Amino acid sequence: MSSGAAHSALAASALHAASAPVRVTGLGFVTPIGHTAECFDDALFNGRSAVRAQTLGIAGLDPIELAVAACDFDAASVRSSSRLPLDRGTAMALSAARDAAAQAGLQAGSVDPERLGIFWGSGLAGAGAFDDTTRALYGGKRRMRPTTVLTVMPNAAVAELALQFGAQGAAIAYACACASSAVAIGEAMRAIRGGWIDMAVVGGHEAMLTPGVMASWHAMRVTAPPPPGAPGSACRPFSDDRAGFALGEGAAALVLESEAHARARGASEAMPLFLAGYATNCDATHITNPDPAGQVRAMRAALRDAGLEAAQIGHINAHGTATTAGDAAEAASIREVFGNAVPVSATKAIHGHVLGGGGAIELVAALRTLAHGMLAPTANLRVPDAAFDLDFVRGDPREAGNLRYVLSNSFAFGGTNAVLIAGRATNR
């Protein structure tokens, strides 16, 4: 082979690796709509909301009426690998990751630890532990728990997951507000494609249904009030009467690995799902008002990364916050990239806005959509805003038997945009 031909072969090989799909071999989640695939699917495809009304009482403040989606989850039942106390969010992360690893057949010592990574996202990380500590301090307690910092720090969940699985490759925490876990998943995908690692446990969590955090979100006037007698209808993405989102909590984890690694270790092919594309960028225009132009660039970059045309996307799992500015920007950006030909759903109406963990949970929803060939309706969306000329899935779920690719959006305060594209193999 001539030097020119060898160079071309190496370039072609590098290009293939840079665009190669990455297998999804395990899923695990702790969400307000369930901790098992059966419960999650039932709520997803039937538009069953877990949002409930909560009255927040704080001394010195008028009662605050909120709509929130909490998990039925006992954090005290989760034993840590570090033997330290766990923040509620870290306990959720550990539980979800253990389930994902079990499905993937990943056990400590079963893979090269230096080729195994942890990539995890969260916006406020140990919010519960921090709230407990500050309340105790200002309530008169003068001795702090010496493990507080280790419980609150943004990479607490990453550290616990690395200990759990013996991961000695990259172990990185991402904090990009509502895009945190989507960025974590996408960056893991890049690391696997680049050959830095073979396998990663990825995802994100958020557990910030604490008084201080809930009151702070309420003060921003972006949360929806619970309608009397029907709190589950509080969050109405893309609706003409949308009024904001419901705060949620939860975690979702995935096991990602290269196709070659999955085949070499005999990973089950019962779940023929993969990640095909990813892109992240920043609007760099405003802290809270999203810029459709930045979202357009992110979606088009993800399509290029996957080697796909817009027409090959069969469904969009929208960020869909149900805020005035957020939905308008996303509807405009989707219209710019896809026209009105691609069905759109938004799932925050049923599991709440899980902030830093939202991208991972919504990617799980996209993967379940692929697995079933069924498009979930956007709960509570009866009359779409007339300004949004899109094909919204509403009412009943929609059959989509030949579904190959879905796109999931995550757009964050600070202007960070993250877009993931997942696919379903048909020739395994």
Side-chain angles (χ1 to χ4, degrees), residues 4 50 64 83 117-118 135 142 155 159 175 189 205 212 227 254 264 277 310 358-359 369 389 404:
I64 298 172
R83 300 180 185 274
I118 308 293
R135 278 194 293 169
R142 289 293 176 260
N155 63 332
M189 178 185 180
H205 77 272
L254 299 81
T369 296
D389 181 21
R404 290 291 310 279

Side-chain angles (χ1 to χ4, degrees), residues 18 24 29 41 43 52 67 135 147 166-167 201 203 214 254 334 354 364 399:
V24 178
F29 38 87
D41 291 350
R52 302 289 183 265
R135 278 194 293 169
T147 58
V201 178
M214 288 192 288
L254 299 81
I334 290 173
V354 190
V364 168
E399 294 276 359

Side-chain angles (χ1 to χ4, degrees), residues 396-413:
D396 296 323
R398 189 185 299 180
E399 294 276 359
N402 60 350
L403 190 63
R404 290 291 310 279
Y405 296 100
V406 300
L407 180 147
S408 183
N409 283 333
S410 295
F411 303 138
F413 279 175

Side-chain angles (χ1 to χ4, degrees), residues 52-391:
R52 302 289 183 265
Q54 180 172 339
T55 300
L56 179 62
I58 300 176
L61 297 178
D62 292 335
I64 298 172
E65 301 297 330
L66 291 169
V68 302
C71 293
D72 179 12
F73 178 75
D74 179 14
S77 68
V78 179
R79 300 299 175 203
S80 72
S81 301
S82 66
R83 300 180 185 274
L84 293 173
L86 296 177
D87 175 79
R88 178 174 174 82
T90 300
M92 288 178 173
L94 201 51
S95 180
R98 285 170 174 164
D99 287 347
Q103 185 175 34
L106 169 63
Q107 299 175 346
S110 65
V111 299
D112 182 348
E114 295 186 18
R115 304 286 296 170
L116 173 64
I118 308 293
F119 293 70
W120 201 260
S122 182
L124 290 176
F130 186 73
D131 193 72
D132 290 344
T133 297
T134 51
R135 278 194 293 169
L137 176 65
Y138 296 122
K141 189 173 181 179
R142 289 293 176 260
R143 185 177 181 279
M144 295 295 99
R145 177 179 284 182
T147 58
T148 296
V149 171
L150 303 177
T151 310
V152 172
M153 63 185 190
N155 63 332
V158 171
E160 288 289 348
L161 295 176
L163 286 170
Q164 172 69 41
F165 301 112
Q168 297 176 353
I172 309 175
Y174 294 84
C176 312
C178 305
S180 299
S181 53
V183 170
I185 293 166
E187 295 301 321
M189 178 185 180
R190 284 178 171 172
I192 292 171
R193 279 175 165 179
W196 301 109
I197 54 174
D198 297 320
M199 189 178 198
V201 178
V202 306
H205 77 272
E206 207 74 271
M208 31 85 262
L209 298 182
T210 66
V213 176
M214 288 192 288
S216 298
W217 278 106
H218 177 73
M220 291 193 73
R221 302 182 179 180
V222 292
T223 57
S233 66
C235 181
R236 302 182 288 276
F238 300 110
S239 176
D240 65 350
D241 64 347
R242 64 194 185 280
F245 56 78
L247 290 167
E249 64 173 1
L254 299 81
V255 174
L256 304 181
E257 55 190 307
S258 69
E259 180 67 43
H261 187 265
R263 287 185 181 276
R265 73 180 186 90
S268 170
E269 297 193 3
M271 187 166 55
L273 304 175
F274 59 89
L275 296 185
Y278 160 68
T280 184
N281 67 6
C282 187
D283 294 344
T285 55
H286 196 278
I287 292 292
T288 58
N289 284 335
D291 182 359
Q295 297 175 2
V296 166
R297 290 195 300 273
M299 283 188 272
R300 285 179 171 160
L303 287 169
R304 286 195 300 273
D305 187 55
L308 297 174
E309 301 292 333
Q312 292 175 269
I313 299 297
H315 182 243
I316 294 173
N317 191 314
H319 187 61
T321 57
T323 59
T324 301
D327 282 4
E330 185 170 19
S333 64
I334 290 173
R335 187 74 171 79
E336 174 73 18
V337 177
F338 297 97
N340 60 4
V342 181
V344 176
S345 302
T347 59
K348 286 183 174 65
I350 59 171
H351 54 63
H353 194 344
V354 190
L355 305 171
I361 291 174
E362 289 160 34
L363 180 62
V364 168
L367 292 167
R368 300 304 298 168
T369 296
L370 279 168
H372 288 279
M374 181 80 72
L375 310 185
T378 298
N380 306 323
L381 177 56
R382 296 181 180 84
V383 180
D385 188 315
F388 305 161
D389 181 21
L390 295 174
D391 177 16

